[in-house]
């Protein structure tokens, strides 16, 4: 904790936050034998999203339909509008590619070799 007397600013610096740090905090000041307390300050933790393929390799039959799926772990959870799919190998063909309603699966219709 640090205190800047000129600005009357007390700062609690927390490094490498963990889930156990989640909660409410307050600052107490002992001024001439009387303790004064701040209002509670809530610390809420967010996590970086983690996008994990359900399967790292998918084998499909030429001409058949298949799908690629991911699990999205985040706090707060990701909304479908935040999830997009793209490809690096071929041109995106909207007639053959679609995404599930929750956007966690890419559906490929009529699989071809470039897919």
């Amino acid at each position: 904790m640090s205190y800047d007397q000129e600005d009357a600013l007390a700062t609690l610096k927390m490094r490498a936050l963990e889930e156990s740090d989640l909660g409410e905090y307050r600052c107490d000041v002992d001024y001439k034998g009387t303790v004064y307390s701040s209002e509670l300050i809530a610390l809420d933790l967010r996590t970086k999203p983690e996008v994990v393929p359900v399967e790292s390799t998918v084998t499909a039959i030429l001409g058949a339909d298949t799908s690629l799926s991911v699990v999205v772990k985040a706090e707060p959870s990701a909304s479908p509008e935040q999830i997009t799919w793209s490809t690096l190998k071929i041109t995106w063909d909207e007639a053959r590619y679609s995404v599930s309603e929750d956007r966690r699966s890419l559906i490929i219709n009529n699989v071809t070799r470039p897919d």
Side-chain angles (χ1 to χ4, degrees):
M1 193 197 83
S2 64
Y3 179 67
D4 181 334
Q5 206 164 10
E6 185 177 315
D7 294 330
L9 178 66
T11 303
L12 175 64
K13 291 187 179 182
M14 303 171 78
R15 299 189 194 321
L17 291 170
E18 297 178 359
E19 187 105 16
S20 60
D21 296 317
L22 177 75
E24 295 181 323
Y25 293 79
R26 74 171 184 223
C27 179
D28 295 324
V29 176
D30 185 340
Y31 184 73
K32 297 183 180 181
T34 303
V35 176
Y36 299 88
S37 298
S38 71
E39 293 180 20
L40 292 176
I41 302 168
L43 176 62
D44 189 17
L45 298 178
R46 309 278 182 196
T47 59
K48 294 178 183 177
E50 182 181 359
V51 182
V52 181
V54 172
E55 298 175 79
S56 59
T57 303
V58 174
T59 303
I61 299 171
L62 285 173
D65 299 344
T66 194
S67 63
L68 310 175
S69 300
V70 296
V71 174
V72 180
K73 299 175 185 177
E75 185 57 45
S77 61
S79 67
E81 297 80 27
Q82 295 172 298
I83 302 170
T84 59
W85 286 84
S86 62
T87 180
L88 302 175
K89 291 190 170 191
I90 57 174
T91 305
W92 189 268
D93 180 354
E94 291 190 22
R96 292 185 45 244
Y97 296 93
S98 61
V99 292
S100 61
E101 191 173 325
D102 66 3
R103 304 188 64 81
R104 286 170 168 77
S105 295
L106 171 67
I107 300 136
I108 306 171
N109 296 309
N110 190 18
V111 171
T112 63
R113 284 200 185 279
D115 294 327

